[in-house]
């Protein structure tokens, strides 16, 4: 049996492949013909059912007028009950009909969001030998990585990533928290705290919409002091054959909720509704909220910890 301490094959950084100027991608990144992005289709407005899988394809046919719901949280704490109830209703509809939605006026500083993106972009622009100091392993996946899973010969995604345990603090591996630039740890810690608070506000709205006490779901995931949170940054280098591969294979998220900060200028995230995929059109300074598997399917949540992921899409192929 293969040890989980090491990867089954030598790790190749996708960013290095992209920077090498190759004109065709290696065979290990090529998807079977039936699974290629060019075979995906956009959501038909008449479709009503949904699931919570999502992928990062690199080519799809899209309808300009279709997008996941965008919800303005500006009046969440307003004294105007009608305005508050309108927000709750929109969240309820988005959860039931999509499982995904974007939020604006969410309370997280736009400058903090921008700083977080810039810091991670700076990391991925560092020389390879510097990034390799933070290389991860299958033991925890924490650090700089280019694949998930230890199946030998598996088809790989066209992306690199960085993964961190954020909460509870006892799970943090400080050796994987970047030592450069000096502002990194402060900015990312502040960013994580604000995103976790946003997740708590959304959980409270969901609890109320379900007819439960407002702190029911948050307490089910450990409460404000024990809630679990992870941070993952995805980097998608330019690809010479985007019709053959995925930046991130179709999947559903295993935690309670994913809070995604995407690139403001390039579409890449796709969400599945019914049998078809919809490209998410990013809204400036918005977060994409994905209701994860634990909230979707678990009738009892008290054994689980909420996982809140930061996924920063730094670059996507043209």
């Amino acid at each position: 049996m293969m040890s989980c301490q090491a990867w089954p094959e030598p790790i190749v950084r996708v960013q290095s492949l992209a920077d090498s100027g190759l004109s065709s991608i290696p065979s290990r990144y090529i998807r079977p013909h039936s699974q290629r992005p060019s075979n995906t289709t956009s959501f038909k407005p008449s479709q009503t059912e949904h699931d919570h899988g999502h992928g990062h394809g690199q080519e799809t046919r899209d309808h300009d007028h279709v997008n996941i719901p965008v919800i303005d949280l500006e009046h969440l704490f307003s004294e105007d009950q009608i305005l508050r109830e309108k927000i709750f209703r929109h969240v309820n509809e988005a959860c039931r009909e999509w499982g995904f939605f974007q939020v604006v006026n969410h309370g997280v500083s736009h400058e903090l969001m921008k700083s977080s993106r810039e810091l991670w972009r700076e990391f991925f622009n560092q020389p390879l030998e510097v990034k390799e100091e933070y290389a991860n392993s299958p033991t925890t996946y924490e650090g700089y990585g280019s694949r998930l899973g230890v199946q030998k010969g598996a088809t790989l995604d066209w992306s690199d990533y960085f993964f961190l345990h954020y909460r509870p603090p006892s799970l943090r591996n400080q050796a994987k928290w970047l030592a450069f630039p000096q502002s990194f740890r402060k900015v990312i810690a502040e960013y994580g705290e604000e995103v976790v608070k946003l997740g708590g506000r959304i959980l409270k709205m969901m609890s109320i919409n379900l007819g439960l006490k407002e702190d029911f779901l948050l307490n089910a995931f450990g409460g404000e002091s024990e809630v679990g949170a992870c941070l993952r940054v995805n980097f998608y280098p330019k690809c010479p054959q985007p019709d053959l591969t995925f930046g991130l294979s179709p999947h559903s998220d295993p935690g309670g909720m994913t809070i995604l900060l995407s690139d403001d200028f390039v579409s890449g995230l796709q969400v599945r509704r019914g049998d078809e995929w919809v490209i998410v059109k990013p809204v400036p300074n918005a977060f994409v909220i994905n209701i994860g598997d634990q909230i979707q399917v678990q009738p009892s949540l008290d054994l689980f910890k909420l996982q809140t992921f930061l996924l920063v899409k730094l670059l996507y192929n043209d």
Side-chain angles (χ1 to χ4, degrees):
M1 181 177 294
M2 183 177 297
S3 169
C4 68
Q5 301 296 317
W7 301 107
E9 299 142 334
I11 294 295
V12 178
R13 302 304 179 189
V14 176
Q15 188 177 4
S16 297
L17 290 175
D19 290 344
S20 71
L22 50 74
S23 59
S24 60
I25 62 176
S27 59
R28 66 191 306 182
Y29 297 95
I30 297 177
R31 309 294 302 185
H33 190 272
S34 62
Q35 300 176 16
R36 293 177 186 176
S38 58
N39 291 327
T40 63
T41 56
S42 61
F43 170 68
K44 298 176 183 177
S46 60
Q47 195 80 17
T48 56
E49 70 173 355
H50 73 278
D51 66 30
H52 294 276
H54 73 280
H56 294 258
Q58 301 191 22
E59 179 181 335
T60 190
R61 294 180 295 277
D62 181 43
H63 293 301
D64 289 341
H65 63 282
V66 179
N67 196 11
I68 63 173
V70 178
I71 301 174
D72 190 334
L73 302 183
E74 180 180 6
H75 299 293
L76 182 59
F77 300 106
S78 170
E79 295 183 0
D80 189 323
Q81 184 176 352
I82 295 177
L83 292 177
R84 293 199 311 272
E85 289 179 350
K86 182 178 180 180
I87 295 173
F88 277 67
R89 184 173 67 255
H90 287 168
V91 170
N92 185 38
E93 292 171 351
C95 289
R96 291 178 180 275
E97 297 178 11
W98 282 88
F100 288 87
F101 53 96
Q102 296 188 70
V103 292
V104 296
N105 291 318
H106 39 63
V108 181
S109 163
H110 294 175
E111 187 62 34
L112 186 59
M113 297 164 69
K114 179 181 178 182
S115 296
S116 298
R117 281 199 194 94
E118 290 176 347
L119 286 172
W120 285 112
R121 196 184 301 274
E122 183 176 344
F123 169 78
F124 282 101
N125 285 331
Q126 291 293 318
L128 181 60
E129 59 269 21
V130 174
K131 292 181 286 191
E132 288 293 351
E133 295 177 10
Y134 298 91
N136 70 353
S137 75
T139 306
T140 66
Y141 293 105
E142 195 161 14
Y144 176 49
S146 297
R147 68 174 294 168
L148 294 172
V150 293
Q151 179 184 353
K152 190 172 183 178
T155 301
L156 303 180
D157 292 329
W158 191 261
S159 60
D160 298 325
Y161 66 87
F162 204 103
F163 181 82
L164 289 174
H165 288 295
Y166 179 71
R167 293 185 62 173
S170 59
L171 291 181
R172 292 188 191 181
N173 181 352
Q174 292 297 331
K176 299 297 185 182
W177 282 63
L178 305 184
F180 67 91
Q182 291 185 345
S183 61
F184 174 86
R185 296 187 178 188
K186 178 180 183 298
V187 170
I188 298 306
E190 182 180 354
Y191 177 90
E193 288 290 348
E194 292 304 310
V195 171
V196 169
K197 289 178 183 177
L198 171 60
R201 292 193 289 272
I202 294 171
L203 285 175
K204 288 180 179 180
M205 285 191 286
M206 292 170 59
S207 293
I208 292 172
N209 282 336
L210 290 169
L212 305 169
K213 293 182 178 180
E214 71 169 25
D215 59 354
F216 181 89
L217 284 174
L218 183 59
N219 288 341
F221 288 111
E224 292 184 0
S225 62
E226 296 296 328
V227 65
C230 304
L231 179 152
R232 173 168 166 156
V233 185
N234 284 355
F235 184 87
Y236 303 102
K238 186 177 178 68
C239 180
Q241 294 178 296
D243 56 323
L244 301 181
T245 189
F246 279 107
L248 191 61
S249 299
H251 64 281
S252 62
D253 287 353
M257 183 188 304
T258 296
I259 300 178
L260 166 68
L261 174 61
S262 63
D263 193 302
D264 278 345
F265 306 104
V266 183
S267 296
L269 174 67
Q270 299 172 23
V271 304
R272 185 165 180 171
R273 194 182 189 198
D275 295 327
E276 299 183 294
W277 294 91
V278 181
I279 289 181
V280 174
K281 302 172 184 64
V283 175
N285 299 312
F287 285 104
V288 175
I289 309 299
N290 174 8
I291 307 306
D293 294 344
Q294 291 179 13
I295 289 179
Q296 158 109 7
V297 301
Q298 295 295 337
S300 176
L301 302 171
D302 50 316
L303 297 180
F304 297 93
K305 297 292 185 182
L306 170 64
Q307 294 181 335
T308 302
F309 294 90
L310 162 65
L311 302 177
V312 184
K313 183 173 63 208
L314 297 175
L315 184 65
Y316 211 77
N317 75 287
D318 294 335

